[in-house]
Coordinates of all heavy atoms in Angstrom, one line a residue:
M1 N -5.0 1.7 -18.1 CA -3.6 1.9 -17.7 C -3.2 1.0 -16.6 O -3.9 0.8 -15.6 CB -3.3 3.3 -17.2 CG -1.9 3.7 -17.2 SD -1.6 5.4 -16.9 CE -1.7 5.5 -15.1
E2 N -2.1 0.3 -16.8 CA -1.6 -0.7 -15.8 C -1.0 0.1 -14.6 O -0.1 0.9 -14.7 CB -0.4 -1.5 -16.4 CG 0.2 -2.6 -15.5 CD -0.8 -3.8 -15.4 OE1 -1.2 -4.4 -16.3 OE2 -1.1 -4.0 -14.2
T3 N -1.6 -0.2 -13.5 CA -1.1 0.5 -12.2 C 0.1 -0.2 -11.6 O 0.7 0.2 -10.7 CB -2.2 0.6 -11.2 OG1 -2.8 -0.6 -11.0 CG2 -3.2 1.7 -11.7
G4 N 0.2 -1.5 -11.9 CA 1.4 -2.3 -11.4 C 1.0 -2.8 -10.0 O 0.0 -2.5 -9.4
K5 N 1.8 -3.7 -9.5 CA 1.5 -4.3 -8.2 C 2.4 -3.6 -7.1 O 3.6 -3.5 -7.4 CB 1.8 -5.8 -8.3 CG 0.7 -6.6 -9.0 CD 1.2 -8.1 -9.0 CE 0.2 -8.8 -10.0 NZ 0.7 -10.1 -10.3
H6 N 1.8 -3.3 -6.0 CA 2.6 -2.8 -4.9 C 3.3 -4.0 -4.2 O 2.8 -5.1 -4.0 CB 1.7 -2.2 -3.8 CG 1.2 -0.9 -4.3 ND1 0.0 -0.3 -3.8 CD2 1.7 0.1 -5.1 CE1 -0.1 0.9 -4.3 NE2 0.9 1.1 -5.1
K7 N 4.6 -3.8 -3.9 CA 5.4 -4.7 -3.2 C 4.9 -4.8 -1.7 O 4.9 -5.8 -1.1 CB 6.8 -4.4 -3.2 CG 7.5 -4.9 -4.5 CD 9.0 -4.7 -4.3 CE 9.7 -5.1 -5.6 NZ 11.1 -4.9 -5.5
H8 N 4.4 -3.6 -1.3 CA 3.9 -3.6 0.1 C 2.6 -3.0 0.1 O 2.2 -2.2 -0.7 CB 4.8 -2.6 0.9 CG 6.2 -3.0 0.9 ND1 6.8 -4.1 1.7 CD2 7.3 -2.6 0.2 CE1 8.1 -4.2 1.4 NE2 8.4 -3.3 0.5
D9 N 1.7 -3.4 1.0 CA 0.5 -2.7 1.3 C 0.8 -1.5 2.2 O 1.9 -1.3 2.7 CB -0.7 -3.6 1.7 CG -0.4 -4.1 3.1 OD1 0.4 -3.6 3.8 OD2 -1.1 -5.1 3.5
C10 N -0.2 -0.7 2.4 CA 0.0 0.6 3.1 C 0.5 0.3 4.6 O 1.4 1.1 5.0 CB -1.3 1.4 3.2 SG -1.7 2.0 1.5
K11 N 0.0 -0.7 5.2 CA 0.5 -1.0 6.5 C 1.9 -1.4 6.6 O 2.6 -0.9 7.5 CB -0.3 -2.1 7.2 CG -1.7 -1.6 7.7 CD -2.6 -2.8 8.1 CE -4.0 -2.3 8.3 NZ -4.9 -3.5 8.5
E12 N 2.4 -2.2 5.7 CA 3.8 -2.5 5.6 C 4.7 -1.2 5.4 O 5.7 -1.1 6.0 CB 4.1 -3.5 4.5 CG 3.8 -4.9 5.0 CD 4.1 -5.9 3.9 OE1 5.2 -6.2 3.5 OE2 3.1 -6.3 3.2
V13 N 4.1 -0.4 4.5 CA 4.9 0.8 4.2 C 5.0 1.7 5.4 O 6.0 2.2 5.7 CB 4.2 1.5 3.0 CG1 4.8 3.0 2.9 CG2 4.4 0.8 1.7
F14 N 3.9 1.7 6.1 CA 4.0 2.5 7.3 C 5.0 2.0 8.3 O 5.7 2.8 8.9 CB 2.6 2.6 8.0 CG 2.7 3.3 9.4 CD1 2.9 4.7 9.3 CD2 2.7 2.6 10.5 CE1 3.1 5.3 10.6 CE2 2.8 3.2 11.7 CZ 3.0 4.6 11.7
A15 N 5.1 0.7 8.4 CA 6.1 0.2 9.3 C 7.5 0.6 8.9 O 8.4 0.9 9.7 CB 6.0 -1.4 9.3
L16 N 7.7 0.7 7.6 CA 9.0 1.2 7.1 C 9.2 2.7 7.2 O 10.3 3.2 7.4 CB 9.2 0.8 5.6 CG 9.3 -0.7 5.3 CD1 9.2 -0.9 3.8 CD2 10.5 -1.3 5.9
L17 N 8.0 3.4 7.3 CA 8.1 4.9 7.2 C 8.8 5.4 8.5 O 9.5 6.4 8.4 CB 6.7 5.5 7.1 CG 6.1 5.6 5.7 CD1 4.7 6.2 5.8 CD2 7.0 6.4 4.8
S18 N 8.5 4.8 9.6 CA 9.2 5.4 10.8 C 10.6 5.2 10.7 O 11.4 6.0 11.2 CB 8.5 4.8 12.1 OG 8.6 3.4 12.1
E19 N 11.0 4.0 10.1 CA 12.5 3.8 10.0 C 13.1 4.8 9.0 O 14.1 5.3 9.1 CB 12.8 2.4 9.5 CG 12.5 1.3 10.6 CD 12.7 0.0 10.0 OE1 13.8 -0.2 9.5 OE2 11.9 -0.9 10.3
Y20 N 12.3 5.0 8.0 CA 12.6 6.0 6.9 C 12.9 7.3 7.5 O 14.0 7.9 7.2 CB 11.5 6.0 5.9 CG 11.5 7.0 4.8 CD1 12.2 6.7 3.6 CD2 10.8 8.2 4.8 CE1 12.3 7.5 2.5 CE2 10.8 9.0 3.7 CZ 11.5 8.7 2.6 OH 11.6 9.6 1.5
L21 N 12.1 7.8 8.4 CA 12.2 9.0 9.1 C 13.4 9.0 10.1 O 14.0 10.0 10.3 CB 11.0 9.4 9.8 CG 9.8 9.8 8.8 CD1 8.5 10.0 9.7 CD2 10.1 11.1 8.1
D22 N 13.7 7.9 10.5 CA 14.9 7.7 11.4 C 16.2 7.5 10.6 O 17.2 7.5 11.2 CB 14.7 6.4 12.2 CG 13.7 6.6 13.4 OD1 13.2 7.7 13.6 OD2 13.3 5.6 14.1
A23 N 16.0 7.6 9.4 CA 17.2 7.4 8.5 C 17.9 6.1 8.7 O 19.1 6.0 8.7 CB 18.1 8.6 8.6
E24 N 17.1 5.0 9.0 CA 17.7 3.7 9.3 C 17.5 2.8 8.1 O 18.0 1.7 8.1 CB 17.0 3.1 10.5 CG 17.5 3.7 11.8 CD 16.7 3.2 13.0 OE1 15.7 2.4 12.7 OE2 16.8 3.7 14.0
L25 N 16.8 3.2 7.0 CA 16.6 2.4 5.9 C 17.8 2.5 4.9 O 18.3 3.5 4.7 CB 15.3 2.8 5.2 CG 14.0 2.4 5.9 CD1 12.9 2.9 5.0 CD2 13.9 0.9 6.0
D26 N 18.0 1.3 4.3 CA 19.0 1.4 3.2 C 18.3 2.0 2.0 O 17.1 2.1 1.8 CB 19.6 -0.1 3.0 CG 18.5 -1.0 2.7 OD1 17.6 -0.8 1.9 OD2 18.7 -2.1 3.2
A27 N 19.1 2.3 1.0 CA 18.6 3.0 -0.2 C 17.6 2.2 -1.0 O 16.6 2.8 -1.5 CB 19.8 3.2 -1.1
E28 N 17.7 0.9 -1.0 CA 16.8 0.1 -1.7 C 15.4 0.1 -1.1 O 14.4 0.3 -1.8 CB 17.3 -1.4 -1.6 CG 16.7 -2.3 -2.7 CD 17.2 -3.7 -2.6 OE1 18.3 -3.9 -2.3 OE2 16.4 -4.7 -2.6
R29 N 15.3 0.2 0.2 CA 14.0 0.2 0.8 C 13.4 1.6 0.7 O 12.2 1.7 0.5 CB 14.1 -0.2 2.3 CG 14.3 -1.6 2.5 CD 14.2 -2.1 3.9 NE 13.6 -3.4 4.0 CZ 13.2 -3.9 5.2 NH1 13.4 -3.3 6.3 NH2 12.7 -5.0 5.2
C30 N 14.2 2.6 0.8 CA 13.8 4.0 0.6 C 13.1 4.1 -0.8 O 12.1 4.7 -1.0 CB 14.9 5.0 0.7 SG 15.4 5.3 2.4
D31 N 13.8 3.4 -1.8 CA 13.3 3.5 -3.1 C 11.9 2.8 -3.2 O 11.0 3.2 -3.9 CB 14.2 2.7 -4.0 CG 14.3 3.2 -5.4 OD1 14.3 4.5 -5.5 OD2 14.2 2.4 -6.3
E32 N 11.7 1.6 -2.5 CA 10.4 0.9 -2.5 C 9.4 1.8 -1.9 O 8.3 1.9 -2.4 CB 10.5 -0.3 -1.7 CG 11.3 -1.4 -2.4 CD 11.4 -2.7 -1.6 OE1 10.6 -2.9 -0.6 OE2 12.2 -3.5 -1.9
I33 N 9.7 2.5 -0.9 CA 8.7 3.4 -0.2 C 8.4 4.6 -1.2 O 7.2 4.8 -1.4 CB 9.3 4.1 1.1 CG1 9.4 2.9 2.1 CG2 8.4 5.2 1.6 CD1 10.0 3.4 3.5
R34 N 9.4 5.1 -1.8 CA 9.0 6.2 -2.8 C 8.2 5.7 -3.9 O 7.3 6.4 -4.3 CB 10.4 6.8 -3.3 CG 11.0 7.7 -2.3 CD 12.1 8.6 -3.1 NE 13.1 8.9 -2.0 CZ 14.3 8.2 -2.0 NH1 14.6 7.3 -2.9 NH2 15.2 8.6 -1.2
K35 N 8.4 4.5 -4.4 CA 7.5 4.0 -5.5 C 6.2 3.9 -4.9 O 5.2 4.1 -5.7 CB 8.1 2.7 -5.9 CG 9.3 2.8 -7.0 CD 9.7 1.4 -7.4 CE 11.0 1.6 -8.1 NZ 11.8 0.4 -8.1
H36 N 5.9 3.3 -3.8 CA 4.6 3.2 -3.2 C 4.0 4.6 -3.1 O 2.8 4.7 -3.5 CB 4.7 2.5 -1.9 CG 3.3 2.3 -1.2 ND1 2.5 1.2 -1.4 CD2 2.6 3.2 -0.5 CE1 1.4 1.4 -0.8 NE2 1.4 2.6 -0.2
L37 N 4.7 5.5 -2.6 CA 4.2 6.8 -2.4 C 3.7 7.5 -3.7 O 2.8 8.3 -3.8 CB 5.2 7.8 -1.6 CG 5.5 7.4 -0.2 CD1 6.5 8.3 0.3 CD2 4.2 7.4 0.6
D38 N 4.5 7.2 -4.7 CA 4.1 7.8 -6.1 C 2.7 7.5 -6.4 O 2.0 8.1 -7.2 CB 5.0 7.1 -7.2 CG 6.3 8.0 -7.4 OD1 6.3 9.0 -6.8 OD2 7.2 7.5 -8.1
D39 N 2.2 6.3 -5.9 CA 0.9 5.7 -6.4 C -0.1 5.6 -5.3 O -1.1 5.0 -5.4 CB 1.3 4.3 -6.9 CG 0.2 3.8 -7.8 OD1 -0.5 4.6 -8.4 OD2 0.1 2.6 -8.0
C40 N 0.2 6.4 -4.2 CA -0.7 6.2 -3.1 C -0.8 7.5 -2.2 O -0.2 7.8 -1.3 CB -0.1 5.1 -2.2 SG -1.3 4.6 -0.9
P41 N -1.7 8.4 -2.7 CA -1.8 9.8 -2.2 C -2.1 9.7 -0.6 O -1.6 10.5 0.1 CB -3.0 10.4 -2.9 CG -3.0 9.6 -4.2 CD -2.5 8.2 -4.0
P42 N -2.9 8.8 -0.2 CA -3.2 8.8 1.3 C -1.9 8.6 2.1 O -1.7 9.2 3.2 CB -4.1 7.6 1.5 CG -4.8 7.4 0.2 CD -3.8 7.8 -0.8
C43 N -1.0 7.8 1.6 CA 0.3 7.6 2.3 C 1.2 8.8 2.2 O 1.9 9.2 3.1 CB 1.0 6.4 1.7 SG 0.5 4.8 2.3
I44 N 1.0 9.5 1.1 CA 1.9 10.8 1.0 C 1.4 11.7 2.0 O 2.2 12.4 2.7 CB 1.6 11.4 -0.5 CG1 2.2 10.5 -1.6 CG2 2.3 12.8 -0.6 CD1 2.0 10.9 -3.0
E45 N 0.1 11.9 2.1 CA -0.5 12.8 3.1 C -0.1 12.4 4.5 O 0.3 13.3 5.3 CB -2.1 12.6 3.1 CG -2.8 13.9 2.6 CD -4.2 13.6 2.5 OE1 -5.0 13.5 3.5 OE2 -4.8 13.5 1.3
F46 N 0.0 11.1 4.8 CA 0.3 10.7 6.1 C 1.8 11.0 6.3 O 2.2 11.4 7.4 CB 0.1 9.2 6.2 CG 0.4 8.7 7.7 CD1 -0.3 9.1 8.7 CD2 1.5 8.0 7.8 CE1 0.1 8.7 10.0 CE2 1.9 7.6 9.1 CZ 1.2 8.0 10.2
L47 N 2.6 10.7 5.3 CA 4.0 11.0 5.4 C 4.3 12.4 5.7 O 5.1 12.8 6.6 CB 4.8 10.6 4.2 CG 6.3 10.9 4.2 CD1 6.9 10.0 5.4 CD2 7.0 10.4 2.9
E48 N 3.5 13.4 5.1 CA 3.6 14.8 5.3 C 3.3 15.1 6.8 O 4.1 15.9 7.4 CB 2.7 15.6 4.4 CG 3.2 15.6 3.0 CD 4.7 16.1 2.8 OE1 5.0 17.1 3.4 OE2 5.5 15.3 2.2
S49 N 2.3 14.6 7.3 CA 1.9 14.8 8.7 C 2.9 14.2 9.7 O 3.2 14.8 10.7 CB 0.4 14.4 9.0 OG 0.4 13.0 9.0
L50 N 3.4 13.1 9.3 CA 4.5 12.5 10.1 C 5.7 13.3 10.1 O 6.3 13.6 11.2 CB 4.8 11.1 9.4 CG 5.5 10.0 10.2 CD1 4.6 9.6 11.4 CD2 5.8 8.8 9.4
K51 N 6.1 13.8 9.0 CA 7.3 14.7 9.0 C 7.0 16.0 9.8 O 7.9 16.5 10.5 CB 7.6 15.2 7.5 CG 8.3 14.2 6.7 CD 8.5 14.8 5.3 CE 9.3 13.8 4.4 NZ 9.2 14.3 3.1
R52 N 5.8 16.5 9.7 CA 5.5 17.7 10.5 C 5.6 17.4 11.9 O 6.1 18.2 12.7 CB 4.1 18.2 10.1 CG 4.0 19.6 9.7 CD 2.6 20.0 9.3 NE 2.3 19.6 7.9 CZ 1.2 18.9 7.6 NH1 0.3 18.7 8.5 NH2 1.1 18.5 6.4
T53 N 5.1 16.3 12.4 CA 5.1 15.9 13.8 C 6.5 15.7 14.2 O 6.9 16.2 15.3 CB 4.3 14.6 14.0 OG1 3.0 14.8 13.4 CG2 4.2 14.3 15.5
V54 N 7.3 15.0 13.4 CA 8.7 14.8 13.8 C 9.4 16.1 13.9 O 10.2 16.2 14.9 CB 9.3 13.8 12.8 CG1 10.8 13.7 13.0 CG2 8.7 12.4 12.9
S55 N 9.3 17.0 13.0 CA 10.0 18.2 13.0 C 9.6 19.0 14.2 O 10.4 19.7 14.8 CB 10.0 19.0 11.8 OG 8.7 19.5 11.6
L56 N 8.3 18.9 14.6 CA 7.9 19.6 15.9 C 8.6 19.0 17.1 O 9.1 19.7 17.9 CB 6.3 19.5 16.0 CG 5.5 20.4 15.1 CD1 4.0 20.0 15.4 CD2 5.8 21.9 15.4
C57 N 8.6 17.7 17.1 CA 9.2 17.0 18.2 C 10.7 17.3 18.3 O 11.3 17.3 19.4 CB 9.1 15.5 18.0 SG 7.4 15.0 18.2
H58 N 11.3 17.6 17.2 CA 12.7 17.8 17.2 C 13.1 19.3 17.3 O 14.2 19.7 17.0 CB 13.4 17.3 15.9 CG 13.4 15.7 15.8 ND1 13.6 15.1 14.7 CD2 13.2 14.8 16.8 CE1 13.5 13.7 14.9 NE2 13.3 13.6 16.1
G59 N 12.0 20.1 17.5 CA 12.2 21.5 17.7 C 12.6 22.2 16.4 O 13.3 23.1 16.4
C60 N 12.1 21.6 15.2 CA 12.3 22.1 13.9 C 13.8 22.3 13.6 O 14.2 23.1 12.8 CB 11.7 23.5 13.8 SG 9.9 23.5 13.9
Q61 N 14.6 21.4 14.1 CA 16.0 21.4 13.7 C 16.1 20.6 12.4 O 15.5 19.6 12.2 CB 16.8 20.7 14.8 CG 17.1 21.7 16.0 CD 17.8 21.0 17.1 OE1 17.9 19.7 17.2 NE2 18.4 21.8 18.0
T62 N 17.0 21.1 11.6 CA 17.2 20.3 10.4 C 18.7 19.8 10.4 O 19.5 20.3 9.7 CB 17.1 21.3 9.1 OG1 17.8 22.5 9.3 CG2 15.6 21.6 8.9
A63 N 18.7 18.7 11.1 CA 20.0 18.0 11.2 C 20.1 17.1 10.0 O 19.1 16.6 9.5 CB 20.2 17.3 12.5
E64 N 21.3 16.8 9.6 CA 21.5 15.9 8.5 C 21.0 14.5 8.9 O 20.4 13.8 8.1 CB 22.9 15.9 8.0 CG 23.2 17.0 7.0 CD 24.7 16.9 6.5 OE1 25.2 15.7 6.4 OE2 25.2 17.9 6.3
Q65 N 21.4 14.2 10.1 CA 20.9 12.9 10.6 C 20.0 13.1 11.9 O 20.5 13.4 12.9 CB 22.1 12.0 11.0 CG 22.7 11.3 9.9 CD 22.8 9.9 10.1 OE1 23.6 9.3 11.0 NE2 22.1 9.0 9.4
P66 N 18.7 13.1 11.6 CA 17.8 13.4 12.7 C 17.9 12.3 13.9 O 18.1 11.1 13.5 CB 16.4 13.3 12.1 CG 16.6 12.6 10.8 CD 18.0 12.8 10.4
P67 N 17.7 12.7 15.1 CA 17.8 11.7 16.1 C 16.6 10.8 16.0 O 15.5 11.1 15.4 CB 17.6 12.6 17.4 CG 17.1 13.9 16.9 CD 17.5 14.1 15.5
P68 N 16.6 9.6 16.5 CA 15.6 8.7 16.4 C 14.3 9.1 17.2 O 14.4 9.9 18.1 CB 16.1 7.4 17.2 CG 17.5 7.7 17.5 CD 17.8 9.0 17.3
L69 N 13.2 8.7 16.7 CA 11.9 9.0 17.3 C 11.9 8.4 18.7 O 12.4 7.2 18.8 CB 10.8 8.4 16.5 CG 10.4 9.2 15.2 CD1 9.1 8.5 14.7 CD2 10.0 10.6 15.5
N70 N 11.4 9.1 19.6 CA 11.3 8.4 20.9 C 10.0 7.5 20.9 O 9.1 7.8 20.0 CB 11.3 9.3 22.1 CG 10.0 10.1 22.4 OD1 9.0 9.5 22.4 ND2 10.1 11.3 22.5
P71 N 10.0 6.4 21.6 CA 8.9 5.4 21.5 C 7.5 6.0 21.7 O 6.6 5.5 21.0 CB 9.2 4.3 22.6 CG 10.7 4.6 22.8 CD 11.0 6.0 22.5
E72 N 7.5 6.9 22.6 CA 6.2 7.5 22.9 C 5.5 8.2 21.6 O 4.4 8.1 21.3 CB 6.3 8.5 24.0 CG 5.1 8.7 24.9 CD 5.3 9.6 26.0 OE1 6.3 9.5 26.7 OE2 4.6 10.7 26.0
V73 N 6.4 8.9 21.0 CA 6.0 9.6 19.7 C 5.6 8.6 18.7 O 4.6 8.8 18.0 CB 7.1 10.6 19.2 CG1 6.7 11.2 17.8 CG2 7.4 11.7 20.1
R74 N 6.4 7.6 18.5 CA 6.2 6.6 17.6 C 4.8 5.9 17.8 O 4.0 5.7 16.9 CB 7.3 5.5 17.7 CG 7.4 4.7 16.5 CD 8.5 3.6 16.7 NE 9.8 4.1 16.6 CZ 10.6 3.8 15.6 NH1 10.2 2.9 14.7 NH2 11.8 4.3 15.4
E75 N 4.4 5.7 19.1 CA 3.2 5.1 19.4 C 2.0 6.0 19.0 O 1.0 5.5 18.5 CB 3.1 4.9 21.0 CG 3.3 3.4 21.4 CD 2.6 2.4 20.5 OE1 1.3 2.5 20.5 OE2 3.3 1.6 19.9
K76 N 2.2 7.3 19.2 CA 1.1 8.3 18.9 C 0.9 8.3 17.3 O -0.2 8.3 16.9 CB 1.5 9.6 19.3 CG 1.2 9.9 20.8 CD 1.5 11.3 21.2 CE 1.5 11.5 22.6 NZ 2.3 12.6 23.1
L77 N 2.0 8.1 16.6 CA 1.9 8.1 15.2 C 1.3 6.8 14.7 O 0.5 6.9 13.7 CB 3.3 8.3 14.6 CG 4.0 9.6 14.7 CD1 5.5 9.6 14.3 CD2 3.3 10.8 14.0
M78 N 1.7 5.8 15.3 CA 1.0 4.5 15.0 C -0.5 4.6 15.2 O -1.3 4.2 14.3 CB 1.5 3.4 15.9 CG 3.0 3.1 15.7 SD 3.2 1.9 14.3 CE 3.1 0.4 15.1
A79 N -0.9 5.2 16.3 CA -2.4 5.3 16.6 C -3.0 6.2 15.6 O -4.1 5.9 15.1 CB -2.5 5.9 18.1
A80 N -2.3 7.3 15.2 CA -2.9 8.2 14.2 C -3.1 7.5 12.8 O -4.1 7.7 12.2 CB -2.0 9.4 14.1
Y81 N -2.1 6.7 12.6 CA -2.1 6.0 11.3 C -3.3 4.9 11.2 O -4.1 4.8 10.4 CB -0.8 5.2 11.0 CG -0.7 4.7 9.6 CD1 -0.7 5.5 8.5 CD2 -0.8 3.3 9.4 CE1 -0.6 5.0 7.2 CE2 -0.8 2.8 8.2 CZ -0.6 3.6 7.1 OH -0.6 3.1 5.8
R82 N -3.4 4.2 12.3 CA -4.4 3.2 12.4 C -5.8 3.8 12.2 O -6.7 3.3 11.5 CB -4.4 2.4 13.8 CG -3.4 1.3 13.7 CD -3.5 0.5 14.9 NE -2.2 0.0 15.4 CZ -1.6 0.5 16.5 NH1 -2.3 1.4 17.3 NH2 -0.4 0.1 16.9
K83 N -5.9 4.9 12.8 CA -7.2 5.7 12.8 C -7.5 6.1 11.4 O -8.6 6.0 10.9 CB -7.2 6.9 13.7 CG -8.4 7.4 14.2 CD -8.2 8.5 15.2 CE -9.6 9.2 15.6 NZ -9.3 10.4 16.4
S84 N -6.4 6.6 10.7 CA -6.7 7.0 9.3 C -6.9 5.9 8.4 O -7.7 6.0 7.4 CB -5.5 7.9 8.8 OG -4.5 7.1 8.2
M85 N -6.3 4.6 8.7 CA -6.7 3.5 7.9 C -8.1 3.1 8.1 O -8.8 2.7 7.2 CB -5.7 2.3 8.3 CG -4.3 2.5 8.0 SD -3.9 2.7 6.2 CE -4.2 1.1 5.7
Q86 N -8.5 3.2 9.3 CA -10.0 2.8 9.6 C -10.9 3.7 8.9 O -11.9 3.3 8.4 CB -10.2 2.9 11.2 CG -9.8 1.6 11.9 CD -9.7 1.8 13.4 OE1 -10.2 2.8 13.9 NE2 -9.1 0.9 14.2
N87 N -10.7 5.0 8.9 CA -11.5 6.0 8.2 C -11.6 5.6 6.7 O -12.6 5.7 6.2 CB -11.0 7.4 8.4 CG -11.2 7.9 9.8 OD1 -12.1 7.4 10.5 ND2 -10.5 8.9 10.3
R88 N -10.4 5.3 6.2 CA -10.4 5.0 4.8 C -11.2 3.7 4.5 O -11.9 3.7 3.5 CB -8.9 4.8 4.3 CG -8.2 6.1 4.2 CD -6.7 5.8 4.0 NE -6.5 5.0 2.8 CZ -5.3 4.5 2.5 NH1 -4.3 4.6 3.3 NH2 -5.2 3.8 1.4
A89 N -11.1 2.7 5.4 CA -11.8 1.5 5.2 C -13.4 1.8 5.2 O -14.1 1.3 4.5 CB -11.4 0.5 6.3
R90 N -13.7 2.7 6.1 CA -15.1 3.0 6.3 C -15.7 3.7 5.0 O -16.8 3.5 4.7 CB -15.3 3.9 7.5 CG -16.4 3.5 8.4 CD -16.5 4.3 9.6 NE -15.6 3.8 10.7 CZ -14.8 4.7 11.4 NH1 -14.9 6.0 11.2 NH2 -14.0 4.2 12.4
Q91 N -14.7 4.5 4.5 CA -15.1 5.2 3.2 C -15.1 4.3 2.0 O -15.3 4.8 0.9 CB -14.3 6.5 3.0 CG -14.6 7.6 4.0 CD -13.4 8.5 4.2 OE1 -12.6 8.6 3.3 NE2 -13.5 9.3 5.3
G92 N -14.6 3.1 2.1 CA -14.5 2.2 1.1 C -13.4 2.5 0.1 O -13.4 2.1 -1.1
L93 N -12.3 3.1 0.6 CA -11.2 3.5 -0.2 C -10.1 2.3 -0.2 O -9.9 1.7 0.8 CB -10.5 4.8 0.3 CG -11.4 6.0 0.0 CD1 -10.7 7.2 0.6 CD2 -11.6 6.3 -1.4
Ligands
ZN101 ZN1 -0.2 3.4 0.7

């Protein structure tokens, strides 16, 4: 089965993900992220934990336009992501 080529690797997608959560991405880029996520379970998992963290940070408010992540939180998420990428590399995934 043809898996197709990713336009972005996981790291690039992650860079977009924080914007995605900030609702700063245009529809086209959101679409690219969704396509990548369709084919990349580790990124889906990461996005889920990202969402959970963000909703905790926002006090579980479900606003239509969530406030931007503060830089400190963003840094923590970046660190968490790098760690998970390293773990995957170690496991040869
Ligand atoms: Zn990925």
Side-chain angles (χ1 to χ4, degrees):
M1 195 170 88
E2 182 74 57
T3 51
K5 283 177 193 167
H6 284 155
K7 279 188 180 177
H8 302 280
D9 67 18
C10 292
K11 280 176 195 169
E12 275 180 79
V13 167
F14 173 70
L16 294 173
L17 278 179
S18 59
E19 291 178 46
Y20 177 80
L21 290 170
D22 286 351
E24 282 170 4
L25 284 181
D26 57 43
E28 200 181 316
R29 287 189 144 188
C30 283
D31 209 48
E32 283 180 22
I33 290 178
R34 283 197 210 101
K35 277 181 196 158
H36 178 94
L37 292 177
D38 272 352
D39 202 20
C40 192
C43 277
I44 296 173
E45 244 174 73
F46 182 70
L47 180 61
E48 287 308 310
S49 67
L50 200 62
K51 279 181 180 167
R52 228 174 289 133
T53 308
V54 170
S55 68
L56 285 176
C57 291
H58 293 165
C60 293
Q61 286 178 339
T62 47
E64 277 184 29
Q65 282 232 290
L69 284 182
N70 79 50
E72 209 179 302
V73 173
R74 201 183 279 248
E75 259 315 299
K76 279 182 194 159
L77 292 171
M78 293 280 269
Y81 187 71
R82 277 189 219 110
K83 208 171 166 190
S84 90
M85 293 299 288
Q86 278 167 10
N87 286 338
R88 286 169 59 190
R90 228 175 275 137
Q91 289 160 17
L93 291 175

